[in-house]
Amino acid sequence: MTCAVSLYELAHARSGDKGNRLNIAVVCREPRFFEPLRERLTETFVAAVFRDRKPTAVRRYELPKLHAFNFVLDDVLDGGVNGSLGLDGHGKTLSFLLLSAEIEMPAGLLSLTEEPAPELMSGGSR
């Protein structure tokens, strides 16, 4: 049995940009989330989350000792900081787009999950 949960409840992420390429590191909040996410947090899943930005390629790199993944998405930043006519050609905030995506996870795994700390939810410390 599975249930849908936002990726935010399972991991945290950092993103950055280089030219027109977006880089997102996804780090599991608990090591036990790594294997289920390895099966579900695929290149296809991430490409679907960013479908409106029309990535030309999505690559996933696994970092099992860190319980993390790194995704590289090509051609999603409207040409990058210097080439974009948009207000924000940076990739710095795009990890939140991925973390807001819902993903199906085994229900038994989630029953042991604690709520994220309030400082994580507010985006910083007080």
Side-chain angles (χ1 to χ4, degrees):
M1 182 175 182
T2 65
C3 63
V5 61
S6 75
L7 186 56
Y8 175 82
E9 294 183 44
L10 306 171
H12 58 91
R14 296 277 299 179
S15 59
D17 53 77
K18 193 68 164 178
N20 202 21
R21 183 171 285 159
L22 172 63
N23 178 68
I24 301 178
V26 177
V27 182
C28 296
R29 291 189 185 277
E30 297 183 29
R32 64 192 173 102
F33 297 149
F34 183 76
E35 286 302 323
L37 284 177
R38 175 187 271 168
E39 295 174 21
R40 294 165 176 85
L41 189 60
T42 63
E43 293 166 339
T44 302
F45 180 90
V46 172
V49 171
F50 287 91
R51 69 182 161 273
D52 291 343
R53 291 189 164 266
K54 300 177 180 86
T56 57
V58 176
R59 290 175 303 286
R60 179 178 84 169
Y61 300 93
E62 295 181 8
L63 304 156
K65 290 184 180 182
L66 298 176
H67 308 105
F69 306 91
N70 190 59
F71 291 91
V72 178
L73 293 83
D74 290 342
D75 302 315
V76 294
L77 298 175
D78 297 326
V81 176
N82 295 324
S84 174
L85 295 176
L87 294 176
D88 187 5
H90 296 275
K92 300 293 183 201
T93 61
L94 290 175
S95 61
F96 290 104
L97 178 62
L98 182 57
L99 289 177
S100 68
E102 288 197 343
I103 192 164
E104 290 289 325
M105 294 291 284
L109 184 73
L110 300 175
S111 64
L112 302 174
T113 304
E114 295 181 15
E115 299 248 347
E119 63 271 12
L120 294 175
M121 295 174 63
S122 66
S125 58
R126 295 173 193 223

